[in-house]
Amino acid sequence: MMKNLEELTLNRSPEGQTYWEGLLNEKLLLQRCTNCHKLRHYPRPMCDACHSLDYDWVASSCRGSIYTWSVSHHPFHPAFQDQIPYVMITAQLEEPVRLLAPLVKHQQEEKLYIGRTLTVAFLKISDTLCTPYFILDKD
Amino acid sequence: MNDFFLKNKGCVSGIGETKYEKSTDRSTLALTLEASLAAVRDAGLSPHEIDGVIPYGAGGIVAEDFITNFGIQDLRYSAQTPMGGASPVAALQSATMAVATGVARHVLIALGRGATSGRITNRLAQMPQMRVASEFEMPLGTNAPAQFYAHMARRHMEKYGTTSKQFAEVAITCRENATKNENAMMRKPMTVEDHQNSRMIADPFRLYDCCLESSGAAAVVVSSADRAKDLRKKPVFLSGLAEGHPMSPSTITQRPNMVELGLAKAAPIALRMADLSLNDIDVAEIYDCFTYIVICQLEDLGFCKKGEGGDFVSSGNIKKNGTIPINTHGGLLSEAHIAGMNHIVELVRQLRGECGERQLRDVETGLVTGYGDLGDGSIAVMST
Ligand SMILES: [Zn+2]
């Protein structure tokens, strides 16, 4: 799995680098425009509200709720072959951005519905890769 | 120049297809050239007379290939419309711009899928339009279109009560139509039970919600309306053309409205350009990479209100004798996945009356849509 997963982590942008490093420190960093303070995700060079190229980073609350989800049954990519079936959740964070990440393994059978609250956690896979995942609050 | 300068300035003058099959030993280029030559000859042109080319970029075919193989002496226009499955219909707009302004006379649009394609997840990851998804979403386990689009479909189901059995109506309709198409890959009739028993791929999508993987090629020639009059076949006019892009086009995750596609912006423009209402449309060839995407587009086109697409398809509206017959060739779901170039070819055939056993009666106007990447849309309204 590791080798196949590494081929998926080669496309890092300069803006994304800080985000990925933040995850290694168990922080979900969001870009904030230093001119108009609009938060944005995923990382990119420009603020779409005021077009400033200047930004800093703020740590997300890591709290949110289900916006939508999918359950993958077919192993499209070999890196995730031993995971299927697995739930992926699009969550609306408390901040005005969303996050797409897998649901923790032991909650795969939980009832899913829009608005169910959750927390972001962090899974360290290697020295260079840490990925976010979700843990649902008690129903 | 008014907003609708392009109206009826261009015509589809020629169409061509290869045989569609599951796999092939032939190269994408060989297939593309075969379909292209068929389209050029259908128009009554010589390959030397093609002076504009819009190849499908994702197939790796470039304008140079046509200059070399067709022996084109003076290619004056080449472009690409990198919008995934929205590319072919978007290319109709670009080709019409070229012939309407006199930049070119006969523009060839061609798309092929040959032996060289490779794993879908790798192809996707390498597309520039997928850069953001590739960096931030693929390493977490969302790698294929079925997985990306499943989030839109689930949102629609939860918000509006749309069901998997309603998805089945789209698949069954395409299959019924394919039974009357000799070039369709899947011709065995499908029932709701067949659909519901097909294995889960990316919930809510079952196998029969997903398009085929195919080999083959299709092509069309767009000529200026003036020149098309004197060519071999009855001209089919490009009456309304538009492309539309959703907000957050690079990632579905961050899209403000996840249950609306770029087509929602393009459709009213194309219909106004054609000066037609949906009531005037006799047939609609709707891009059908997944059943849900058809339902969403029917709403975005305005055939029903947002959220009512499930009921719309399960009330028989999209059947051959319904209010708006769709995908008369069987679509990507049952004919072949030629990225919607086959939808354009089919619409032209219906308008010419060349569809044999599956020909609808009294077809004077129709529309074809494209859908691609993570939500891009395109539409062409055609008339005779
Ligand atoms: Zn700003």
Side-chain angles (χ1 to χ4, degrees):
Chain A
M1 172 191 169
M2 264 314 300
K3 184 172 167 294
N4 286 317
L5 191 56
E6 268 161 18
E7 92 184 21
L8 288 170
T9 60
L10 303 172
N11 298 327
R12 290 197 179 164
S13 61
E15 294 79 18
Q17 196 59 37
T18 306
Y19 171 71
W20 288 111
E21 284 165 12
L23 290 172
L24 282 169
N25 297 318
E26 305 208 337
K27 282 190 166 39
L28 184 71
L29 296 180
L30 305 176
Q31 269 181 314
R32 180 176 61 184
C33 172
T34 49
N35 182 50
C36 78
H37 306 296
K38 182 175 178 177
L39 287 170
R40 63 182 190 255
H41 197 51
Y42 300 108
R44 60 170 191 261
M46 185 175 280
C47 172
D48 64 322
C50 76
H51 307 118
S52 169
L53 286 157
D54 298 324
Y55 57 84
D56 56 13
W57 297 88
V58 294
S60 163
S61 65
C62 289
R63 292 285 302 157
S65 61
I66 295 179
Y67 187 80
T68 183
W69 69 91
S70 66
V71 192
S72 289
H73 292 258
H74 182 80
F76 282 104
H77 197 282
F80 306 100
Q81 200 149 10
D82 54 356
Q83 307 284 316
I84 54 168
Y86 59 90
V87 175
M88 293 289 300
I89 291 174
T90 301
Q92 179 67 53
L93 298 182
E94 285 185 354
E95 298 83 7
V97 302
R98 300 195 196 116
L99 185 70
L100 175 65
L103 176 62
V104 67
K105 207 68 206 166
H106 70 265
Q107 289 189 327
Q108 297 290 311
E109 303 298 320
E110 288 277 321
K111 188 169 166 47
L112 305 174
Y113 54 88
I114 292 174
R116 182 162 181 187
T117 53
L118 45 71
T119 301
V120 182
F122 303 90
L123 178 67
K124 192 164 178 191
I125 293 166
S126 71
D127 288 343
T128 55
L129 183 66
C130 177
T131 55
Y133 65 94
F134 294 118
I135 301 170
L136 295 167
D137 292 354
K138 278 206 165 35
D139 196 17
Chain B
M1 202 184 281
N2 65 37
D3 285 354
F4 300 135
F5 173 75
L6 292 184
K7 180 184 177 182
N8 293 337
K9 290 285 199 306
C11 290
V12 177
S13 54
I15 54 175
E17 287 175 299
T18 65
K19 182 174 163 43
Y20 298 143
E21 47 201 342
K22 193 164 174 56
S23 61
T24 182
D25 297 332
R26 300 177 65 198
S27 70
T28 299
L29 181 56
L31 291 164
T32 304
L33 289 168
E34 180 187 323
S36 298
L37 187 61
V40 170
R41 290 195 168 143
D42 182 59
L45 292 166
S46 148
H48 297 134
E49 291 176 271
I50 296 298
D51 57 1
V53 179
I54 307 180
Y56 180 57
I61 307 299
V62 292
E64 285 82 347
D65 290 316
F66 292 92
I67 297 173
T68 305
N69 288 280
F70 274 8
I72 298 170
Q73 298 292 316
D74 188 12
L75 190 85
R76 298 181 174 198
Y77 177 72
S78 69
Q80 288 192 350
T81 49
M83 295 166 64
S87 302
V89 177
L92 290 173
Q93 176 179 250
S94 293
T96 305
M97 287 162 64
V99 299
T101 51
V103 170
R105 288 170 290 192
H106 306 289
V107 179
L108 174 71
I109 306 169
L111 188 151
R113 300 185 137 208
T116 43
S117 304
R119 199 165 76 201
I120 171 80
T121 52
N122 285 359
R123 289 203 314 261
L124 212 63
Q126 285 156 13
M127 290 164 75
Q129 310 95 291
M130 301 300 288
R131 194 191 67 237
V132 173
S134 168
E135 176 171 3
F136 298 108
E137 299 184 340
M138 292 184 186
L140 277 70
T142 302
N143 307 85
Q147 296 170 308
F148 285 105
Y149 305 163
H151 288 248
M152 302 194 284
R154 175 53 66 186
R155 178 82 186 168
H156 197 278
M157 294 169 96
E158 296 299 308
K159 216 173 155 185
Y160 302 116
T162 316
T163 65
S164 174
K165 284 186 178 170
Q166 291 174 329
F167 290 180
E169 291 296 330
V170 176
I172 291 166
T173 301
C174 286
R175 184 60 61 86
E176 272 171 13
N177 294 339
T179 60
K180 298 191 170 62
N181 175 3
E182 281 177 8
N183 202 19
M185 289 170 57
M186 304 295 277
R187 303 183 63 192
K188 186 172 159 252
M190 185 195 295
T191 64
V192 177
E193 290 68 38
D194 294 336
H195 175 277
Q196 293 294 295
N197 290 334
S198 68
R199 71 188 170 95
M200 198 60 92
I201 300 294
D203 188 343
F205 294 139
R206 298 174 181 280
L207 181 65
Y208 289 169
D209 290 306
C210 306
C211 57
L212 307 169
E213 285 263 327
S214 329
S215 300
V220 301
V221 178
V222 171
S223 304
S224 66
D226 285 346
R227 289 191 165 83
K229 279 187 303 214
D230 303 323
L231 295 179
R232 185 164 156 256
K233 288 286 178 77
K234 175 166 89 170
V236 172
F237 288 86
L238 293 157
S239 306
L241 296 153
E243 68 177 59
H245 300 257
M247 296 306 291
S248 186
S250 303
T251 163
I252 291 165
T253 305
Q254 310 297 342
R255 185 162 303 155
N257 182 356
M258 206 183 273
V259 292
E260 186 178 280
L261 303 169
L263 181 64
K265 296 177 186 174
I269 297 171
L271 287 163
R272 277 210 312 278
M273 185 185 297
D275 199 19
L276 293 170
S277 79
L278 290 173
N279 289 329
D280 301 316
I281 303 295
D282 301 316
V283 57
E285 312 296 356
I286 310 278
Y287 196 89
D288 55 336
C289 49
F290 295 91
T291 51
Y292 162 74
I293 297 295
V294 173
I295 289 173
C296 190
Q297 287 177 95
L298 288 166
E299 295 169 351
D300 291 343
L301 283 161
F303 283 110
C304 57
K305 289 204 192 99
K306 183 53 69 183
E308 295 178 358
D311 286 338
F312 186 80
V313 300
S314 59
S315 308
N317 285 293
I318 59 172
K319 301 273 186 201
K320 195 182 169 196
N321 55 2
T323 55
I324 181 66
I326 71 159
N327 300 6
T328 43
H329 53 330
L332 307 181
L333 288 163
S334 281
E335 187 194 47
H337 193 333
I338 309 297
M341 190 65 89
N342 47 331
H343 290 52
I344 300 174
V345 168
E346 174 70 7
L347 179 55
V348 172
R349 281 214 177 104
Q350 286 286 345
L351 287 162
R352 286 176 175 179
E354 291 179 346
C355 282
E357 200 192 343
R358 67 178 190 277
Q359 178 68 46
L360 301 173
R361 275 205 242 153
D362 305 322
V363 180
E364 290 174 359
T365 62
L367 65 81
V368 56
T369 71
Y371 162 85
D373 291 341
L374 297 167
D376 293 345
S378 51
I379 176 172
V381 178
M382 299 190 205
S383 51
T384 51

